[in-house]
């Protein structure tokens, strides 16, 4: 995927992204040359460059003949990061006002493989210290591979311990950093289902259950 596509994802139009990347390649150029480099229709290049100037991404460095130079890629990236971080912080504050963090003892249902997989991936990707995994689902291989380097992975089957699943169902367990956990079931005559929680007692029980399964397997 080229740079122009990524720039469009940040809010630039197709012509703006093409003109800006062309300017970066040229360093300094007249509108006609920028249009050729960017493959933009010549009648559109002047308004496109004016919009880039309004965004602070291009500057007129000469009036007659007219020439433009770009905001450097480094400065653009630094500015984009600051803007993105500010938007995330504003969104976080707005969402907090709409939906305060749930009580840590709360337990929430999960219905369907997609919901379970999505949350499990989120837990693993945000792990900082440890990830505990248990079960026989192929998904566990993918979760282990997604774990960041330096994060301890404790993985086990649950065949050596009393079952926590009904007959015909398979237990699926994930715990992260002693802070969050998923307890789910696959198979049987029901679609995959389970719960997720930040309840510290349940999270520690899940981690202890997995650690005991590892010990019993030795």
């Amino acid at each position: 995927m080229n740079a122009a596509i990524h720039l469009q994802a940040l809010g630039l139009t197709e012509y703006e992204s093409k003109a800006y990347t062309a300017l970066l390649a040229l360093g300094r150029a007249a509108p006609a040359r920028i249009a050729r480099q960017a493959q933009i229709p010549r009648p559109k290049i002047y308004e496109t460059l004016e919009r880039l100037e309004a965004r602070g991404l291009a500057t007129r460095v000469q009036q007659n003949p007219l020439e433009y130079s770009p905001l450097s890629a480094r400065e653009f990236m630094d500015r984009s990061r600051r803007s993105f971080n500010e938007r995330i912080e504003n969104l976080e504050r707005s969402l907090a006002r709409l939906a305060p963090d749930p009580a840590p003892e709360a337990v929430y249902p999960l219905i369907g493989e997609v919901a379970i997989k999505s949350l499990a991936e989120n837990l693993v990707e945000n792990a900082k210290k440890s990830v505990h995994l248990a079960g026989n689902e192929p998904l566990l291989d993918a979760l282990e591979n997604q774990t960041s380097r330096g994060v301890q992975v404790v993985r086990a089957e649950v065949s050596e311990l009393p079952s926590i699943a009904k007959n015909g169902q398979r237990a699926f367990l994930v715990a992260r950093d002693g802070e969050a956990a998923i307890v789910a079931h696959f198979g049987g005559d029901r679609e995959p289902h389970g719960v997720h929680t930040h309840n510290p007692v349940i999270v520690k029980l899940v981690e202890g259950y997995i650690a005991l399964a590892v010990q019993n397997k030795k």
Side-chain angles (χ1 to χ4, degrees):
M1 188 179 291
N2 62 35
I5 299 297
H6 292 298
L7 288 168
Q8 289 174 54
L10 291 176
L12 273 67
T13 68
E14 179 183 0
Y15 285 166
E16 288 169 355
S17 62
K18 287 182 175 180
Y20 178 63
T21 53
L23 258 180
L24 287 174
L26 295 170
R28 170 175 174 167
R33 189 179 178 197
I34 298 167
R36 288 194 300 272
Q37 176 81 11
Q39 298 183 334
I40 294 173
R42 184 134 177 206
K44 294 288 186 182
I45 191 62
Y46 292 97
E47 64 183 78
T48 300
L49 289 170
E50 287 174 1
R51 289 199 302 270
L52 286 179
E53 190 174 18
R55 286 178 176 270
L57 299 181
T59 304
R60 297 184 199 190
V61 292
Q62 186 169 298
Q63 188 63 36
N64 189 20
L66 183 59
E67 287 188 339
Y68 285 85
S69 67
L71 178 73
S72 73
R74 180 183 293 276
E75 290 172 335
F76 174 76
M77 292 304 302
D78 288 344
R79 194 176 78 177
S80 296
R81 287 193 183 95
R82 288 195 299 271
S83 176
F84 181 79
N85 289 337
E86 288 174 3
R87 291 181 182 181
I88 288 294
E89 290 171 2
N90 290 336
L91 175 61
E92 186 175 28
R93 286 192 290 269
S94 296
L95 292 178
R97 288 193 292 269
L98 291 172
D101 288 340
E105 67 272 10
V107 176
Y108 297 92
L110 289 169
I111 303 295
E113 183 175 354
V114 172
I116 295 170
K117 178 181 178 181
S118 177
L119 186 60
E121 289 175 344
N122 182 268
L123 291 186
V124 166
E125 289 171 357
N126 287 292
K128 295 179 174 60
K129 296 179 292 184
S130 66
V131 168
H132 288 67
L133 306 169
N136 300 310
E137 298 304 316
L139 173 57
L140 291 178
D141 293 329
L143 293 175
E144 185 169 358
N145 291 333
Q146 287 175 249
T147 304
S148 300
R149 182 175 298 178
V151 173
Q152 180 190 22
V153 177
V154 181
R155 179 173 173 178
E157 296 181 5
V158 293
S159 56
E160 303 298 319
L161 294 170
S163 176
I164 59 172
K166 295 180 180 179
N167 289 338
Q169 295 184 334
R170 306 180 303 276
F172 173 83
L173 305 171
V174 180
R176 183 260 293 164
D177 292 337
E179 297 175 350
I182 295 172
V183 179
H185 299 100
F186 287 79
D189 56 1
R190 288 186 58 187
E191 67 177 320
H193 59 282
V195 297
H196 70 100
T197 185
H198 289 268
N199 185 311
V201 175
I202 298 176
V203 176
K204 290 299 182 183
L205 284 173
V206 171
E207 290 183 344
Y209 185 86
I210 295 172
L212 184 58
V214 171
Q215 181 179 343
N216 286 355
K217 192 69 174 178
K218 293 179 180 179

